[in-house]
Amino acid sequence: MSGALPISPLAPGRRWTWPVPGSKSITNRAFVLAALAEGTTRLSGVLESDDTRYMRLGLEAMGVRVRDDGPIVQIDGGWTRLRAPREPLFVGNSGTTVRFLAALAALVPGQTTLVGDEHMAKRPIADLVDGLRQLGVSVTCASGCPPLTITGGLYGGSHVRMRGDRSSQYFTALLLMGGLCGRPLRIEIEGPLVSRPYVEMTIRMLEDFGAQIDTEANAFVVHPVEAYRPLTYAIEPDASAASYPFALAAAGRHDIVVELGTRSLQGDYGFVDVLAQMGAEVERTPLQTRVRAATRLRGVDVDMHHISDTVMTLAAIAPLAEGPTTIRNVANIRIKETDRLLATVTELRRLGQDVEMGSDWLRVNPRPLTPATIDCYSDHRMAMSFAVLGSVVPGVTIADPACVSKTYPRFWDHLADFGARAAV
C-alpha cells in the first residue's frame, strides 16, 4: 500500500472476533530456540511479517533448514548445523533479529556481520556489545549502533553485568544462548529491568525447550545443557497488536473478541487493565478476551514501564477521554524504531491536542481534534495507533500505511473487514 491513507470513522455497535496474527516476540524467540534444538521443531501460528522474515532468512544463512508445511513451519536445528554466514546478514529495522542473532553468533565459529537499514543504524546496541565482550566474545561495533561483526566460538566468560533500564532484549539475547555456553552463565541486572514481562516470557519458553534457569532478585543464572529439545509449539496471538482492536472497541463503542486470554505469556496483555480503568467492560477467560464499549472514556494516570509497546495505543485514544491522561516511566521507548515519546507528542499536537512531556512521561489534555496527516516515522505502531483514533473521529490521515508490514501486514485488511460489517 502506497500513498497517504485517510481513515474513515466507523458507526458504533459493531461486533467481531478480530483475527490478531501470531506474536512477533514469541515467533522470533521460537525461531532461535528451534535453531538451537537438536532435531525438528514444528511451529504453528507463526507471524509472517518483515521482522520475522529477517529472522528466518538470517537463520537459514547460518545453516538452519526452515520449511513450510501448510500452516506449520518446520525447523531442522541444532548447534552442529550452525555456521558463520557467507555474506553480511541484513536485518532491516528488526530489533529482536539484530540482538538475538548477535548473541547466537557468539556460539558460531567465524565472523557474522549484521547490518540494517538507516533506522537500525541509529538504534543503540552498545550494552549488548559490552555484555558479549564480558564473555570474551570479540565484537566490532564502531558507532555503538549496527552494523556490528561478531567473531564467535571463542567465548570464555561466565559472568555478565548490564544496565537494566535500556532494553530487555539484551537480556533475552544472552538468556537464549546461555544454556549452550558449556558452563553456568550469571547475568546480573544493574538497576531496574525495563519490560521485565518480556524476559519472563523468554524464560518460560526456554524452560519449555529444556533450559534450566534460576531467577534471583537482580540476576539470572542459566545452567548448561547439552542441547535444547525440539518441540511442537503453538504461538499465541500478538498482545501488542491486540491493543489496537481492544482500544477501538473501548473508544469506538464496539464489541470485539480476541483469541488471547489470561494464559498469555505476554506482558502487553495487561493493556486491557488500562482500558478497564478508563471505563471499558473487559471479560477474560484463559483463552479469550472481550472488550466492550465504554459509555464514556475516563482519563487515567498510569505507569506503562512494563507494557511500553502499548503507550502509543493509549496516547492515540487519550483525546477522546474525559480529563487528562498521563503516561509515566517510559524513557525506554525513546530508543525503539524511532523516539516514540517525541513522535507521539508531535503528532498529537499536530492534531490540536494540548500535550505536556518530560524525559520519560507525557500528559494529554484533550482538545477538539484538528484534521491532520500523521507522520509515521517508519514506525508501524504510530500508523496503527492513530488509525484507531481515525476510526472513531474524522480528520485522521496516515502518511505511510505500508509501514505496518513490520509486524502486522494485514492490519488494513482486518480494519476494512471490521468496517464492512453492519452495525448491530
Side-chain angles (χ1 to χ4, degrees), residues 10-15 247-255 291-296 392 418:
L10 304 174
R14 285 166 164 75
R15 296 178 181 172
L248 181 55
R253 303 181 66 182
H254 304 297
D255 184 338
V291 176
R292 286 188 279 193
T295 53
R296 61 185 180 89
V392 180
F418 182 67

Side-chain angles (χ1 to χ4, degrees), residues 24-26 28-29 32 51 55 93-104 120 123-125 127-129 132 162-177 187 193-202 220 240 268 308-309 332 335-337 340 380-381 406-407:
K24 179 200 75 173
S25 298
I26 295 177
N28 272 357
R29 284 164 173 78
V32 173
D51 278 16
M55 177 65 80
N93 192 21
S94 175
T96 54
T97 301
V98 72
R99 292 158 182 168
F100 298 175
L101 290 187
L104 179 65
M120 178 58 73
R123 298 185 68 175
I125 199 169
D127 290 280
L128 178 58
V129 168
L132 290 170
M162 293 189 299
R163 287 181 56 167
D165 62 348
R166 301 292 182 89
S167 173
S168 66
Q169 290 178 9
Y170 302 151
F171 291 85
T172 283
L174 296 182
L175 286 166
L176 288 171
M177 58 82 79
I187 307 169
L193 177 57
V194 67
S195 300
R196 193 179 188 103
Y198 281 95
V199 177
E200 294 170 351
M201 174 205 303
T202 301
F220 307 104
S240 306
D268 280 359
S308 60
D309 274 350
N332 59 304
I335 59 168
K336 296 281 189 174
E337 281 80 343
R340 286 179 168 169
H380 53 129
R381 301 207 185 281
K406 188 174 193 296
T407 56

Side-chain angles (χ1 to χ4, degrees), residues 7-10 385-396:
I7 307 298
S8 299
L10 304 174
S385 296
F386 282 94
V388 172
L389 177 62
S391 296
V392 180
V393 293
V396 176

Side-chain angles (χ1 to χ4, degrees), residues 6 81 128 133 164 204 224 283 286 356 367-368 372 383 398 405 415:
R81 284 183 172 269
L128 178 58
R133 286 172 176 165
R204 289 172 65 180
E283 297 177 5
E356 306 166 65
R367 298 290 185 267
I398 304 299
S405 64
L415 184 61

Side-chain angles (χ1 to χ4, degrees), residues 119 337-338 342-344 346-347 350 375-379 382:
H119 303 287
E337 281 80 343
T338 187
L342 180 59
T344 301
T346 299
E347 299 313 303
R350 195 189 307 276
D375 187 345
C376 299
Y377 307 84
S378 298
D379 191 329
M382 289 293 293

Side-chain angles (χ1 to χ4, degrees), residues 44 46 71 98 109 125 135 148-149 189 214 216 221 237 245 309 387 396 399:
S44 61
V46 167
V98 72
I125 199 169
L135 288 177
L148 69 160
T149 297
I189 309 162
D214 295 333
E216 302 175 4
V221 178
D309 274 350
V396 176

Side-chain angles (χ1 to χ4, degrees), residues 110-124:
Q111 290 191 338
T112 300
T113 297
L114 302 167
V115 300
D117 61 19
E118 68 275 17
H119 303 287
M120 178 58 73
K122 300 175 183 177
R123 298 185 68 175

